[in-house]
């Protein structure tokens, strides 16, 4: 009787070595109340120091570990894992979604909020590609020229929108920036109908932004956006960006 074919390697299940190594490091640090140095971890777990240094740096960056001089201690990120999502600060709730957007698309992803008549980047993850759009957390741009800003404008109350058009100074950042009242109002009407905004070349030549509102309890609390160099922004990528943004925004509320 012929034996059944063995499962392909990709179908086999079992421990993932890199995941186990990460968990081993976290558990080892947590088990030592006074903290440990990298050499202690390397010796106890049999991990080469050269590999361990990158892993420790990543865990510190994500705040699962904290560093005090040469010693590593449990970080605040571990506590966040025990807290109900609704109890977390908004930036902490959306940060994993922003990272996931960047990982899925390898394009720059951000979460932005309104500050006056500007939009401010709260959480950003930059693309790994050489040609990319970059914006730092805390950076602000005028509402009228970014897809994220237009989403915010689209869902302002009528009174606030009237005040915006009366008070704001709308500078043309490029030759494509839409600054006239009638042009912007047409954009906002379209955004309300479609639930998504796209703006190309309006803030930075060669960059196309796409953005969706993020709601918690039915109230808009910010915007998720993805920025892509125009040379890569074909119809297929545009569709992927729109789909990924809608899924991410739906996961927040």
């Amino acid at each position: 009787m012929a034996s059944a074919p063995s499962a392909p390697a990709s179908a086999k299940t079992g421990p993932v070595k890199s995941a186990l190594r990460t968990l081993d490091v976290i558990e080892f640090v947590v088990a030592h109340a006074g903290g440990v140095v990298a050499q202690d971890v390397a010796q106890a777990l049999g991990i080469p120091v050269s590999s361990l240094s990158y892993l420790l740096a990543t865990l510190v960056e994500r705040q699962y570990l904290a560093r005090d001089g040469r010693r590593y201690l449990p970080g605040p990120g571990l506590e966040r894992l025990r807290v109900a999502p609704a109890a977390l600060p908004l930036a902490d709730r959306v940060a994993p979604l922003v990272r996931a957007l960047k990982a899925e698309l390898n394009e720059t992803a951000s979460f932005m909020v309104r500050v006056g008549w500007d939009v401010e980047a709260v959480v950003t993850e930059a693309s790994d590609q050489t040609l990319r759009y970059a914006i730092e957390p805390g950076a602000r741009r005028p509402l009228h020229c970014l897809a994220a800003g237009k989403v915010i404008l689209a869902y302002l109350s009528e009174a606030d929108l009237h005040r915006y058009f009366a008070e704001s100074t709308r500078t043309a950042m490029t030759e494509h920036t839409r600054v006239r009242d009638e042009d912007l109002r047409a954009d906002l009407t379209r955004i309300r109908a479609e639930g998504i905004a796209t703006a190309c070349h309006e803030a930075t030549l060669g960059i196309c932004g796409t953005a969706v509102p993020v709601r918690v309890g039915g109230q808009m609390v910010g915007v998720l956006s993805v920025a892509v160099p125009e040379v890569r922004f074909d119809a297929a990528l545009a569709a992927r960006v729109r789909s990924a943004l809608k899924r991410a925004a739906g996961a927040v509320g």
Side-chain angles (χ1 to χ4, degrees), residues 177-249:
T177 309
R178 292 163 70 81
V179 297
R180 297 192 308 165
D181 288 19
E182 54 267 39
D183 290 338
L184 275 176
R185 287 188 180 275
D187 290 345
L188 305 187
T189 298
R190 184 170 56 252
I191 292 165
R192 294 186 199 105
E194 298 177 357
I196 195 164
T198 299
C200 290
H201 313 293
E202 294 195 43
T204 304
L205 287 174
I207 299 297
C208 292
T210 307
V212 296
V214 174
R215 295 184 175 89
V216 174
Q219 299 296 314
M220 192 175 77
V221 294
V223 181
L224 284 168
S225 69
V226 171
V228 182
E230 190 250 354
V231 294
R232 289 198 297 272
F233 197 62
D234 58 15
L237 181 54
R240 288 178 58 212
V241 168
R242 292 167 72 95
S243 176
L245 280 169
K246 289 180 177 179
R247 277 189 279 108

Side-chain angles (χ1 to χ4, degrees), residues 89-100 111 122-123 214 221 224 252:
L90 186 58
D92 290 340
R93 291 180 65 179
V94 300
L97 299 172
V98 173
R99 286 195 292 268
F111 175 72
V122 176
V123 181
V214 174
V221 294
L224 284 168
V252 179

Side-chain angles (χ1 to χ4, degrees), residues 7 10 12 15 23 43 61 68 79 87 90 93 122 134 144 151-152 154 160 167 177 184 186 191 214 240:
S10 59
K12 294 180 180 179
L23 293 172
Q43 183 174 354
E61 180 183 355
D68 182 10
E79 280 301 312
L90 186 58
R93 291 180 65 179
V122 176
H144 70 283
V151 168
I152 290 171
D160 284 341
E167 296 177 359
T177 309
L184 275 176
I191 292 165
V214 174
R240 288 178 58 212

Side-chain angles (χ1 to χ4, degrees), residues 27-173:
E27 290 175 353
F28 184 80
V29 173
V30 170
H32 293 75
V36 292
V37 298
Q39 288 79 1
D40 293 337
V41 182
Q43 183 174 354
L45 301 180
I47 303 174
V49 175
S50 58
S51 300
L52 181 63
S53 62
Y54 292 106
L55 177 53
L56 289 171
T58 299
L59 290 171
V60 170
E61 180 183 355
R62 292 292 183 89
Q63 298 188 324
Y64 293 119
L65 298 182
R67 187 168 183 178
D68 182 10
R70 296 178 57 242
R71 306 190 77 78
Y72 292 90
L73 302 151
L78 296 177
E79 280 301 312
R80 288 200 297 270
L81 297 179
R82 302 173 58 187
V83 177
L88 290 171
L90 186 58
D92 290 340
R93 291 180 65 179
V94 300
L97 299 172
V98 173
R99 286 195 292 268
L101 283 168
K102 179 263 179 180
E104 178 179 349
L105 302 166
N106 199 13
E107 301 293 351
T108 298
S110 305
F111 175 72
M112 300 183 173
V113 299
R114 174 191 165 195
V115 178
W117 300 135
D118 290 335
V119 62
E120 179 178 306
V122 176
V123 181
T124 69
E125 290 287 333
S127 166
D128 296 329
Q129 304 193 64
T130 302
L131 180 61
R132 63 180 183 266
Y133 178 77
I135 184 169
E136 295 296 322
R140 296 183 183 181
R141 299 287 189 273
L143 289 172
H144 70 283
C145 63
L146 287 183
K150 292 189 182 190
V151 168
I152 290 171
L153 287 172
Y155 295 101
L156 287 179
S157 68
E158 192 55 42
D160 284 341
L161 191 58
H162 178 79
R163 191 161 60 87
Y164 169 77
F165 280 110
E167 296 177 359
S168 63
T169 301
R170 298 184 295 279
T171 301
M173 313 299 286

